[in-house]
Amino acid sequence: MEVVASLHESVLREVGRGMRAQVYIEGMANRRLEGHVVNIAQVPTFNWRSDVRYFDGVVKLEDPPRGLLPGMTAQVEILVTELEGGLRG
């Protein structure tokens, strides 16, 4: 199972294939799914309402749960940096 995320043009330089991602499915409250980026579109999606460009990023889920259906709404967090031994605020 894969999730397609809209990536703002300003973050494209920071996101790459293989990066880990956390996915939160709206219909599965308090459930965090793990995945990784497998593809980033080379061409932005067209939106006639705005001049801002978004690129489709595909995140493959590592262990999709039962009940997950195509078309469900998700929030994707791509982990662009990891700090070893760092403090989180």
Side-chain angles (χ1 to χ4, degrees), residues 14-21 35-38 59 78-81:
E14 300 174 38
V15 178
R17 288 184 180 150
M19 288 185 157
R20 291 183 31 219
H36 62 280
V37 178
V38 293
V59 174
I78 298 173
L79 307 174
V80 293
T81 58

Side-chain angles (χ1 to χ4, degrees), residues 12-65:
L12 285 181
R13 291 184 187 165
E14 300 174 38
V15 178
R17 288 184 180 150
M19 288 185 157
R20 291 183 31 219
Q22 297 176 344
V23 179
Y24 302 88
I25 307 297
E26 190 171 309
M28 299 179 161
N30 301 320
R31 183 88 187 255
R32 182 180 75 194
L33 307 177
E34 300 291 329
H36 62 280
V37 178
V38 293
N39 192 32
I40 301 169
Q42 298 296 309
V43 178
T45 56
F46 178 74
N47 182 345
W48 60 272
R49 294 181 191 172
S50 172
D51 288 337
V52 178
R53 302 292 180 239
Y54 289 90
F55 293 75
D56 286 345
V58 179
V59 174
K60 182 174 178 66
L61 297 177
E62 294 171 6
D63 189 20

